[in-house]
Amino acid sequence: MVEKHFELITHFDIYVFLIPFLPLIASVITLIFGKKYFRDKAHLLPILALFFSFLLSIKVLIEVINGKIYHFDVYSWMFAYDLKVGLGFLVDPLSAAMITMVTCVSFLIHVYSVGYMGGDPGYYRFFAYISLFTFFMLMLVLSNNLAQLYLGWEGVGLCSYFLIGYWYKKKSASDAGKKAFIVNRIGDFGFALGIFLAFYFLGTLYYNEIFPKLPEISNKYMGVLGYEVHVPFLIAFLLFCGAMGKSAQFPLHVWLPDAMEGPTPVSALIHAATMVTAGVFMVCRLNPLFELSNAMMFIVAMIGAFTCFMSATIAPTQFDIKRVIAYSTLSQLGYMFMACGVGAFIAGMFHLLTHAYFKALLFLGAGSVIHLLHHAPDPNDIRIMGGLKKYMPITFWTLLIASLSISGIPGFAGFFSKDEILAQAFFSKYPWGKFIWFIGWVVAAMTAFYTFRIIFRAFYGEFKGWEYIHGKPHESPRVMTIPLIFLAIGSIVAGWIGIPKALGGRNHIEEFLAPVLGHPRIVHEVSHSTEYLLIALSILAGLFGIFLAWLVYIKKPELETFFSKKVKPLYTFLFRKWYFDELYHYTVVIPTLWISRKIVVAITDNTIIEGIVNGSARLVNITGKGLRVLHTGIINHYSTFILIGIIVYLLVYLYLK
Amino acid sequence: MPSLEQYIILAIILFLIGLFGFLTRRNLIVILISIEIMLNGLIVLFAAISHFTKDISGYIVVFFIIAMAAAEAAIGLSLVVLIYKRLRTVYSDEITTFKG
Amino acid sequence: MEFLLNNLLSWIIWFPLIGILIILFTDRKHESFIKWISLITILIDTILSIYLLANFDFSKTGFQFVEKRRWVEFINSYYFLGVDGISILFVPLSTLTTLLCILISWDSIKELVKEFYLALLFTNIAMVGTFCALDLVIFYLFWEAILIPMYLIIGIWGGPRRIYSTIKFFLYTFFGSVFMLIGIIYLYMKFGTFDYTMLVNQKYPFLVESLLFLGFAIAFAIKVPMWPVHTWLPDAHTEAPTAGSVILAGILIKLGGYGFIRFALPMFPQAALYFSKLMLVLSVIAIIYAGLVCLVEDDLKRLIAYSSVSHMGFVTLGIFSFNPIAMKGAILQMINHGIVTGALFMCVGIVYDRTHSRSISYYGGLATSMPIYAAFFMVFTLASIGLPGTNGFIGEFLILLGTFLSNKTMVVFGALGVIIGAAYMLWLYQRVFFQELNPNVAKMPPLKINELVALILPTILVFWIGLYPNLFLNFMTTSVQNLLMNLK
């Protein structure tokens, strides 16, 4: 840990410091003065701030590419005996890559929101919140210690709460925000315990002090409830609980679909590109810790795989366009965790970066359509869309690019990153690699299917939402379509930094991130022929998915209801999201409230404890009433008592003598 | 002259008669009379003891008791009169204003 | 200046007496004058207490600003005052809280105004005195002295069930204090002195020590309040007027925690260690139990009252872990809780003045009619659930981390409180501020200047302590270290 005194501050320090703090300042000013002074120009400060942050991030990125790795503390945040925690920054390839992506995507979404949120009464609030969110995300990514990570972690959760529940008058929106925060908190409960445990065994919370100490604990065991548990496993597992919450992996995935209550730019920014990726980021950042425990790697991979598969089965059944994309996000996050779980951290990060672009694009494109239909009772419903290809060309083409990217069609970014994951999984030194590859391969086909389902339903066929719009459907304003175009370029180009050697590329990203994330954990040298075979297989999967979607939604529309009618129970199971919401409601929510109401309040508090308290008062009361009987008012009785008293006294006196 | 024991027995009997009346009788005036009898008993006791031990302290006590009895009777009777004026009764079981 | 510095503690304690005297001789109908006098008096008192902070020497380990005067020599009791790193932060907390109470009650107390402000000023005297006292008689005196004005405040200006609540409050806390009194008297009989600095170093046979500890502990446990002796708190808090609740939650409760740290632990270390397991368990029960009750409460004030119990559970958890980090966290959390929960009660008072309803179902959509107020309430909600960046996080984090180093299982359960806390506070916020605008609260008068100031001050502190806690933590470093060293 390097303490920086004012004399030694360099330009670089200030740049790094400004990257998160420009959005923070913009956010605070907009929040306090936005309502009165900025009104509908409230977007100015945040957009300016984000733009400069983006430029600064590029500068930092260039410096890091040239080899600079830097960490410093801004000031000492908490200091108590052995615990020293500061607010500081760590600039290395991982964080540089992240901040560039975060500021870029955030900036584009800020611009987009000018169009999407125009006219909304809480305009200033929206921009203040997404700037604040960007601040927290940057703090999370740039942090150099676990406590600051937690600060950013909770901070993005907070902003997510505000933004999901942005239209707070709607009960469903407020509920969704609350659900998100609480499910996240459950994850954070584990996360906090992980931090404590890390401090207990490693004595520090700073990354650069933790990593050298890891070998010390690599063989340590700890007694938990009678079992001997591997310490690195326990720490990693607890920290991973937080990741499960934040990145919406099973079993804490239930908040993400509900989070679609928020405005679409929010979904794009938070629930596609940034916040939900924080979990992946954390696992990658702490990869030395996770790799100490094979059991943990297995769990990460399996949870990723399960989430990936589960959401891919739910997505094709949903009619809400945003929910489909939400489940798609869950699935792609599953990919990233699967990558981490087989040691392919670089591949996971690569996919994180490409996914940010095409997923944000998918959301914003969907937002474009939703914006058109915003007078409808449910503007997200794909059943009222259709035939928009000729009315909204830019939206169509950019969405098409995003869909091709996510389906893993060659040339597009998604192809390179997804393929990297699949290849690394197949050749991984971890025994479950091939199984992961298999899941990834199957889901790739499903991904292509449900994504193109949306494309075909919304842009081909007949438009069905005439009653909800004025005149003809039209393209969105430029302030919305230009970010779409930029994101589309990103969805293609972002993959080119990772062209694998097998296809003639230099795999820049692997070189770039290797110092931090290590080299691929593969068994031995890969044979190019197998690699080509795998590539061919994944292309086939993608094409198959697209073909199937074309078949069902364009060629033979009657097939659409085939599945839902023939296998009704299975269909219902998938449509109802595997009944998780119901499960949690009945096993967690209802019992807790029941216990609270019936037992805690009614029985222990009111009856037992209050019974004792009020009971003692009543006891005094009754005793008094009882003794009162002796006060008859009749003199003769009183004299008798006096006599008895005297006799007793005499007897006692004589006895004591 | 009767012996000391006989005087003491007399004194005790007088005291007990007075005590019994004090505790038992309903009429306030009879209670006062019983008090007088008790005091009387005490007088007899102290006088007898003093006579047989040739110590004049007993006689002095007797004087105190007589004086005190007179004063107490005076106050007691005035209180009874006042009580009667107020509550129109002299029976202790009907005077329960201090009940509870 | 020298005179002021040498007797600073006495000045801070007794300064409101000037205000009291002025008010006593003012005619009852000059209400505005009375309020201003009390405001100015407490303002000066607050400035004095901050001056106290500024002159604190961080390097010394013992007590500072010590005053020892002859008082009742017959029983060897002196007027003995002093502060150290543990107690010093409570002095400005007390004066500041009284200041906020005066601000918040400006327009809401309408009858017997003179008596009310007299009671407030008197409470301030007693509170500050308790934190500074080093002689057991003086301590006990101030400790009990607080009860009387509080009894009156709750009983006269309180809600519908005020008589029951205030008598319950008085008798319950008094009951505990009696055991402490027995302990104090025993100590005097044994050692012939009430001097705290001498009694700290005594050693006792284990049984005696345990009984003494229990005697003191009962008094403090009821004050904190710990589970299961917590039931006076919801009634007292709900029926008290706003200022009463703020003082109760803000300061009175802290007396219990302070008592543990100052008296029960250092004077009876073996017993404290022996009973620590029990205390930890009770703390964890308090955290979770009170949290669960909050989930199903409909009364706004009662909910916040139970949340107090939950937060104080964290504090006692930190205290009885005997870990320096946790101890620092516990002391800081007491300060934090005073600020945050005091502010929450003020918020409730603001809205209660307008609607005269404490029922959550009466409200809804308040963010639309009172947006600035909603923002403040959100800040305090976040501080209450321990969001990083707010003071609540620092306290909770330090406590949980520190306790974890000594006792892992307790922390696992205690940390569940973090989840439950978020659940009930956010649900409360949603039902009151979000969702459809309830016609009951459609037309709400805006915030007045005194309410605004009363809310801004805690907000500043929330973020100040949350982002730069070292300024506040540094006070405690040497004292806590000292305390725990002697405990080993």
Side-chain angles (χ1 to χ4, degrees), chain C residues 31-179:
Chain C
E31 290 182 359
S32 188
F33 177 71
I34 292 177
K35 293 184 213 177
W36 278 105
I37 289 291
S38 37
L39 182 67
I40 295 174
T41 316
I42 293 294
L43 196 59
I44 300 179
D45 212 29
T46 314
I47 295 175
L48 282 175
S49 52
I50 296 179
Y51 183 62
L52 177 78
L53 280 181
N55 283 315
F56 184 77
D57 187 339
F58 287 89
S59 50
K60 290 207 245 166
T61 55
F63 288 99
Q64 301 179 33
F65 299 99
V66 173
E67 298 175 35
K68 192 165 183 172
R69 296 207 176 73
R70 293 176 353 189
W71 192 47
V72 185
E73 284 194 64
F74 179 64
I75 50 172
N76 208 4
S77 166
Y78 291 83
Y79 175 75
F80 192 12
L81 303 175
V83 284
D84 70 347
I86 297 173
S87 47
I88 191 159
L89 280 174
F90 291 104
V91 174
L93 180 72
S94 308
T95 50
L96 191 66
T97 307
T98 318
L99 180 67
L100 293 174
C101 283
I102 293 180
L103 281 173
I104 206 77
S105 317
W106 202 267
D107 293 312
S108 33
I109 300 291
K110 307 226 175 18
E111 306 106 25
L112 297 172
V113 173
K114 172 173 165 177
E115 282 72 13
F116 183 79
Y117 286 92
L118 282 176
L120 268 185
L121 290 176
F122 188 72
T123 321
N124 192 54
I125 295 179
M127 290 191 305
V128 180
T130 322
F131 286 118
C132 304
L134 289 178
D135 179 288
L136 286 181
V137 174
I138 300 282
F139 173 75
Y140 189 77
L141 211 108
F142 279 121
W143 175 274
E144 297 295 2
I146 303 180
L147 291 186
I148 300 170
M150 279 316 297
Y151 170 77
L152 291 172
I153 290 178
I154 302 178
I156 302 179
W157 293 277
R161 278 174 77 220
R162 57 187 183 272
I163 304 291
Y164 167 76
S165 305
T166 194
I167 294 184
K168 186 171 174 181
F169 158 69
F170 188 91
L171 287 179
Y172 215 138
T173 32
F174 194 72
F175 172 76
S177 312
V178 162
F179 290 98

Side-chain angles (χ1 to χ4, degrees), chain C residues 382-444:
Chain C
L382 296 174
S384 181
I385 61 179
L387 190 83
T390 63
N391 54 358
F393 170 68
I394 309 284
E396 276 179 13
F397 187 75
L398 288 176
I399 290 176
L400 288 175
L401 183 62
T403 312
F404 192 80
L405 298 175
S406 346
N407 199 321
K408 297 188 196 55
T409 28
M410 293 296 163
V411 174
V412 174
F413 288 105
L416 281 178
V418 164
I419 304 177
I420 304 179
Y424 66 72
M425 279 314 279
L426 288 181
W427 196 22
L428 167 72
Y429 197 86
Q430 183 182 340
R431 283 179 292 168
V432 172
F433 290 92
F434 290 153
Q435 301 180 186
E436 272 307 312
L437 183 60
N438 195 315
N440 294 332
V441 294
K443 297 245 177 302
M444 298 285 272

